[in-house]
PDB file of all heavy atoms in Angstrom:
ATOM      1  N   LEU A 126      37.255 117.781 137.205  1.00  0.00           N
ATOM      2  CA  LEU A 126      38.574 117.342 137.484  1.00  0.00           C
ATOM      3  C   LEU A 126      39.257 116.947 136.139  1.00  0.00           C
ATOM      4  O   LEU A 126      40.411 117.303 135.948  1.00  0.00           O
ATOM      5  CB  LEU A 126      38.544 116.109 138.445  1.00  0.00           C
ATOM      6  CG  LEU A 126      39.927 115.457 138.715  1.00  0.00           C
ATOM      7  CD1 LEU A 126      40.745 116.509 139.532  1.00  0.00           C
ATOM      8  CD2 LEU A 126      39.746 114.231 139.580  1.00  0.00           C
ATOM      9  N   ALA A 127      38.466 116.342 135.246  1.00  0.00           N
ATOM     10  CA  ALA A 127      38.995 115.950 133.952  1.00  0.00           C
ATOM     11  C   ALA A 127      39.427 117.243 133.101  1.00  0.00           C
ATOM     12  O   ALA A 127      40.372 117.172 132.462  1.00  0.00           O
ATOM     13  CB  ALA A 127      38.035 115.025 133.139  1.00  0.00           C
ATOM     14  N   ALA A 128      38.543 118.253 133.179  1.00  0.00           N
ATOM     15  CA  ALA A 128      38.788 119.460 132.520  1.00  0.00           C
ATOM     16  C   ALA A 128      40.018 120.164 132.989  1.00  0.00           C
ATOM     17  O   ALA A 128      40.889 120.666 132.221  1.00  0.00           O
ATOM     18  CB  ALA A 128      37.566 120.416 132.695  1.00  0.00           C
ATOM     19  N   PHE A 129      40.231 120.070 134.265  1.00  0.00           N
ATOM     20  CA  PHE A 129      41.424 120.622 134.892  1.00  0.00           C
ATOM     21  C   PHE A 129      42.689 119.914 134.369  1.00  0.00           C
ATOM     22  O   PHE A 129      43.688 120.566 133.961  1.00  0.00           O
ATOM     23  CB  PHE A 129      41.398 120.581 136.431  1.00  0.00           C
ATOM     24  CG  PHE A 129      42.724 120.860 137.085  1.00  0.00           C
ATOM     25  CD1 PHE A 129      43.196 122.097 137.214  1.00  0.00           C
ATOM     26  CD2 PHE A 129      43.462 119.737 137.639  1.00  0.00           C
ATOM     27  CE1 PHE A 129      44.485 122.317 137.817  1.00  0.00           C
ATOM     28  CE2 PHE A 129      44.677 119.975 138.118  1.00  0.00           C
ATOM     29  CZ  PHE A 129      45.270 121.268 138.271  1.00  0.00           C
ATOM     30  N   TYR A 130      42.613 118.626 134.366  1.00  0.00           N
ATOM     31  CA  TYR A 130      43.759 117.807 133.891  1.00  0.00           C
ATOM     32  C   TYR A 130      44.033 118.122 132.407  1.00  0.00           C
ATOM     33  O   TYR A 130      45.182 118.233 131.998  1.00  0.00           O
ATOM     34  CB  TYR A 130      43.367 116.268 133.957  1.00  0.00           C
ATOM     35  CG  TYR A 130      44.558 115.336 133.541  1.00  0.00           C
ATOM     36  CD1 TYR A 130      45.646 115.219 134.362  1.00  0.00           C
ATOM     37  CD2 TYR A 130      44.528 114.785 132.274  1.00  0.00           C
ATOM     38  CE1 TYR A 130      46.652 114.441 133.885  1.00  0.00           C
ATOM     39  CE2 TYR A 130      45.548 114.002 131.750  1.00  0.00           C
ATOM     40  CZ  TYR A 130      46.622 113.812 132.623  1.00  0.00           C
ATOM     41  OH  TYR A 130      47.682 113.020 132.208  1.00  0.00           O
ATOM     42  N   TYR A 131      43.002 118.276 131.612  1.00  0.00           N
ATOM     43  CA  TYR A 131      43.204 118.533 130.131  1.00  0.00           C
ATOM     44  C   TYR A 131      43.919 119.907 130.019  1.00  0.00           C
ATOM     45  O   TYR A 131      44.819 120.022 129.203  1.00  0.00           O
ATOM     46  CB  TYR A 131      41.893 118.667 129.511  1.00  0.00           C
ATOM     47  CG  TYR A 131      41.933 118.988 127.971  1.00  0.00           C
ATOM     48  CD1 TYR A 131      42.364 118.171 127.019  1.00  0.00           C
ATOM     49  CD2 TYR A 131      41.467 120.242 127.597  1.00  0.00           C
ATOM     50  CE1 TYR A 131      42.468 118.547 125.704  1.00  0.00           C
ATOM     51  CE2 TYR A 131      41.638 120.708 126.355  1.00  0.00           C
ATOM     52  CZ  TYR A 131      42.119 119.816 125.407  1.00  0.00           C
ATOM     53  OH  TYR A 131      42.194 120.151 124.037  1.00  0.00           O
ATOM     54  N   PHE A 132      43.501 120.967 130.796  1.00  0.00           N
ATOM     55  CA  PHE A 132      44.095 122.293 130.630  1.00  0.00           C
ATOM     56  C   PHE A 132      45.486 122.188 131.219  1.00  0.00           C
ATOM     57  O   PHE A 132      46.323 122.921 130.722  1.00  0.00           O
ATOM     58  CB  PHE A 132      43.263 123.281 131.446  1.00  0.00           C
ATOM     59  CG  PHE A 132      41.980 123.564 130.814  1.00  0.00           C
ATOM     60  CD1 PHE A 132      40.938 123.979 131.581  1.00  0.00           C
ATOM     61  CD2 PHE A 132      41.742 123.572 129.433  1.00  0.00           C
ATOM     62  CE1 PHE A 132      39.659 124.326 131.061  1.00  0.00           C
ATOM     63  CE2 PHE A 132      40.508 123.881 128.819  1.00  0.00           C
ATOM     64  CZ  PHE A 132      39.476 124.197 129.673  1.00  0.00           C
ATOM     65  N   ALA A 133      45.697 121.345 132.183  1.00  0.00           N
ATOM     66  CA  ALA A 133      47.065 121.364 132.881  1.00  0.00           C
ATOM     67  C   ALA A 133      48.038 120.447 132.180  1.00  0.00           C
ATOM     68  O   ALA A 133      49.282 120.489 132.447  1.00  0.00           O
ATOM     69  CB  ALA A 133      46.910 120.874 134.329  1.00  0.00           C
ATOM     70  N   SER A 134      47.645 119.664 131.229  1.00  0.00           N
ATOM     71  CA  SER A 134      48.487 118.602 130.560  1.00  0.00           C
ATOM     72  C   SER A 134      49.653 119.238 129.901  1.00  0.00           C
ATOM     73  O   SER A 134      50.669 118.513 129.712  1.00  0.00           O
ATOM     74  CB  SER A 134      47.644 117.698 129.639  1.00  0.00           C
ATOM     75  OG  SER A 134      47.066 118.504 128.633  1.00  0.00           O
ATOM     76  N   ASP A 135      49.571 120.419 129.480  1.00  0.00           N
ATOM     77  CA  ASP A 135      50.768 121.007 128.823  1.00  0.00           C
ATOM     78  C   ASP A 135      51.736 121.765 129.815  1.00  0.00           C
ATOM     79  O   ASP A 135      52.649 122.482 129.415  1.00  0.00           O
ATOM     80  CB  ASP A 135      50.328 122.010 127.726  1.00  0.00           C
ATOM     81  CG  ASP A 135      49.484 123.149 128.257  1.00  0.00           C
ATOM     82  OD1 ASP A 135      49.233 123.196 129.432  1.00  0.00           O
ATOM     83  OD2 ASP A 135      49.199 124.035 127.422  1.00  0.00           O
ATOM     84  N   GLY A 136      51.482 121.645 131.041  1.00  0.00           N
ATOM     85  CA  GLY A 136      52.314 122.155 132.113  1.00  0.00           C
ATOM     86  C   GLY A 136      51.951 123.581 132.540  1.00  0.00           C
ATOM     87  O   GLY A 136      52.530 124.104 133.463  1.00  0.00           O
ATOM     88  N   VAL A 137      50.907 124.178 131.996  1.00  0.00           N
ATOM     89  CA  VAL A 137      50.383 125.507 132.457  1.00  0.00           C
ATOM     90  C   VAL A 137      48.972 125.697 132.179  1.00  0.00           C
ATOM     91  O   VAL A 137      48.446 125.188 131.122  1.00  0.00           O
ATOM     92  CB  VAL A 137      51.184 126.631 131.839  1.00  0.00           C
ATOM     93  CG1 VAL A 137      51.069 126.558 130.293  1.00  0.00           C
ATOM     94  CG2 VAL A 137      50.876 128.026 132.339  1.00  0.00           C
ATOM     95  N   ILE A 138      48.208 126.333 133.051  1.00  0.00           N
ATOM     96  CA  ILE A 138      46.886 126.869 132.820  1.00  0.00           C
ATOM     97  C   ILE A 138      46.879 128.363 132.545  1.00  0.00           C
ATOM     98  O   ILE A 138      47.185 128.999 133.506  1.00  0.00           O
ATOM     99  CB  ILE A 138      45.950 126.440 134.019  1.00  0.00           C
ATOM    100  CG1 ILE A 138      45.904 124.895 134.233  1.00  0.00           C
ATOM    101  CG2 ILE A 138      44.454 126.969 133.717  1.00  0.00           C
ATOM    102  CD1 ILE A 138      45.015 124.480 135.341  1.00  0.00           C
ATOM    103  N   ASN A 139      46.556 128.714 131.332  1.00  0.00           N
ATOM    104  CA  ASN A 139      46.605 130.151 130.994  1.00  0.00           C
ATOM    105  C   ASN A 139      45.373 130.837 131.409  1.00  0.00           C
ATOM    106  O   ASN A 139      44.421 130.213 131.892  1.00  0.00           O
ATOM    107  CB  ASN A 139      46.938 130.337 129.518  1.00  0.00           C
ATOM    108  CG  ASN A 139      45.904 129.629 128.585  1.00  0.00           C
ATOM    109  OD1 ASN A 139      44.728 129.744 128.870  1.00  0.00           O
ATOM    110  ND2 ASN A 139      46.337 128.987 127.569  1.00  0.00           N
ATOM    111  N   HIS A 140      45.432 132.136 131.166  1.00  0.00           N
ATOM    112  CA  HIS A 140      44.227 132.961 131.612  1.00  0.00           C
ATOM    113  C   HIS A 140      42.919 132.589 130.896  1.00  0.00           C
ATOM    114  O   HIS A 140      41.835 132.633 131.486  1.00  0.00           O
ATOM    115  CB  HIS A 140      44.547 134.477 131.400  1.00  0.00           C
ATOM    116  CG  HIS A 140      45.496 135.033 132.379  1.00  0.00           C
ATOM    117  ND1 HIS A 140      46.031 136.302 132.391  1.00  0.00           N
ATOM    118  CD2 HIS A 140      46.144 134.396 133.433  1.00  0.00           C
ATOM    119  CE1 HIS A 140      46.870 136.443 133.365  1.00  0.00           C
ATOM    120  NE2 HIS A 140      46.990 135.290 134.090  1.00  0.00           N
ATOM    121  N   ILE A 141      43.022 132.205 129.640  1.00  0.00           N
ATOM    122  CA  ILE A 141      41.838 131.874 128.923  1.00  0.00           C
ATOM    123  C   ILE A 141      41.172 130.549 129.516  1.00  0.00           C
ATOM    124  O   ILE A 141      39.976 130.507 129.807  1.00  0.00           O
ATOM    125  CB  ILE A 141      42.040 131.592 127.378  1.00  0.00           C
ATOM    126  CG1 ILE A 141      42.381 132.967 126.742  1.00  0.00           C
ATOM    127  CG2 ILE A 141      40.875 130.976 126.742  1.00  0.00           C
ATOM    128  CD1 ILE A 141      42.802 132.784 125.243  1.00  0.00           C
TER     129      ILE A 141
END
Side-chain angles (χ1 to χ4, degrees):
L126 179 63
F129 167 78
Y130 180 79
Y131 175 75
F132 291 148
S134 59
D135 62 354
V137 61
I138 297 181
N139 59 44
H140 286 179
I141 293 176

